[in-house]
Each structure stands twice: as structure tokens, then as C-alpha cells.
Amino acid sequence: MATKIRLQRGGRKGYAFYSIVIADARAPRDGRFTEKIGTFNPNTNPATVDLNFERALYWVETGAQPTDTVRNILSREGVYLMKHLRGGVKKGAFDEAAAQKKFDAWKADKQNGLAKIAEAEAKAKKEAAANALKAEKAVNEAIAKKVADKKAAEAAAKAEEEAAKAAEAAAAEAPAEAPVEEAPAAEATEAPAEA
């Protein structure tokens, strides 16, 4: 029986969630399986992998063939590195403690690299948010300036209109009042002459 390590799809439409399973190569993707050794969630950033490391290592060492995606997952989790190190122990190149020390150093280095990547992403996200806020403030200031200029222009136009109306009213009142004042004065001048 040819054994495969493959992904078995689960989850809902548009939100796939996979189980990492050991299955017969002839079984369908979502069909029968021998053992479930982990889960893979590609919807998170970075993708979340929950793997039973010892069982995955056992199946890889017994000759189970992974699919391309599962091979990448197992490689990232260090299963193939541990298989390689165990091969070195069997050949006598180094002992079990040295193999474990090398694996732990690799894992620590990988964790540091992932932490740096996460830190860089967080910093880039923060800078992008700051730049977006700065751009939004600039846009708001430009809009506020346009609104202020428009209000100032409207106020100036209204003031000119009121000044023009006041000037028209003053001009209309001034000639009307002047003849009224002159007429009684003329009458007063004429009246004593008649008397």
C-alpha cells in the first residue's frame, strides 16, 4: 500500500481549513485516512500550522510520500531537518545530543527570523497608518481652507452687497431729504415777502 501525507479539506466555502492526514494514495482527497497528524489554516497571516511533530517524523521516516504543499509545510516545521539529523546519528557522524542541539539552534534562528519579519510588518503597517493619517490631515486642511476661502468670499460679496444697498439707500434718501429741506426754506423765504 502506497501511503501519502496529504491535506484533507474542511471549512466552509471561501474559508478553507485543512487537516494533514496519512492516507492510502488511492483514497479520494476527502475520503478515508489512516491518521490525522495536524491542521493547516491558510486564512491567517502567516498561515497557522498545528503539527504532531513526532508522528509526522515517524511517517516521513517510514516512507510516506507527502504532496508538494505538505512537503513545504513539513520542511518549514523542521521535520525533514530532523530526519536528516537522525540519519547522521545512525551513520555515526554525531550523537543524539548534538543532533538535538543543531535542531534547537535552527528552530531558535527560525523563530528570530519570524519575529523580525513580524516586527518589520508591524512597523510598515504603523508607518502606513501614520502616512495615511498625515495625508488625511492634509486633505482635511485643504478642504477647510477651501471652505474658509469660500465663506470669506461669500462674506465679502455679502458685505459689498450690503454696502451697495446702503449706498443706494443713502443716495435715495439724501436727494429726497434735500428737496424737502429746501422747499420749506423757500416757502419761508417767499412767505415773508408776500406778507
Side-chain angles (χ1 to χ4, degrees):
M1 171 175 107
T3 307
K4 295 281 268 183
I5 305 174
R6 63 166 52 152
L7 296 177
Q8 185 177 46
R9 193 182 194 286
R12 65 177 189 270
K13 183 178 180 182
Y15 192 88
F17 185 84
Y18 298 94
S19 296
I20 302 170
V21 297
I22 309 300
D24 184 0
R26 297 168 293 182
R29 179 190 70 177
D30 297 337
R32 291 181 57 184
F33 60 90
T34 307
E35 182 181 353
K36 179 179 174 182
I37 61 170
T39 58
F40 172 62
N41 184 2
N43 302 304
T44 59
N45 187 16
T48 308
V49 176
D50 181 28
L51 184 69
N52 184 339
F53 189 85
E54 291 302 319
R55 292 305 292 167
L57 184 60
Y58 165 78
W59 283 105
V60 167
E61 286 180 338
T62 54
Q65 293 299 310
T67 60
D68 292 339
T69 305
V70 175
R71 180 178 287 114
N72 290 337
I73 291 169
L74 295 178
S75 180
R76 272 186 263 134
E77 293 297 310
V79 173
Y80 280 100
L81 176 64
M82 184 54 91
K83 179 185 175 192
H84 175 73
L85 293 173
R86 280 192 176 178
V89 169
K90 286 179 186 173
K91 291 178 183 176
F94 41 82
D95 62 344
E96 187 72 36
Q100 189 62 41
K101 188 176 179 183
K102 286 182 180 185
F103 181 75
D104 292 340
W106 172 84
K107 193 147 190 143
D109 187 42
K110 182 174 172 93
Q111 291 299 327
N112 289 340
L114 291 174
K116 285 180 183 177
I117 290 170
E119 186 179 312
E121 282 181 5
K123 186 177 179 183
K125 200 174 199 181
K126 195 173 184 179
E127 287 177 1
N131 289 340
L133 182 63
K134 189 184 284 185
E136 187 176 345
K137 281 183 180 179
V139 168
N140 288 344
E141 287 174 2
I143 291 172
K145 185 177 179 187
K146 283 182 182 179
V147 169
D149 290 346
K150 187 176 179 182
K151 284 185 178 179
E154 287 176 0
K158 192 173 183 182
E160 283 181 22
E161 234 178 80
E162 288 177 2
K165 283 182 182 178
E168 286 176 15
E173 287 177 12
E177 288 175 5
V180 172
E181 288 177 11
E182 291 175 14
E187 288 174 11
T189 312
E190 290 176 14
E194 291 178 9

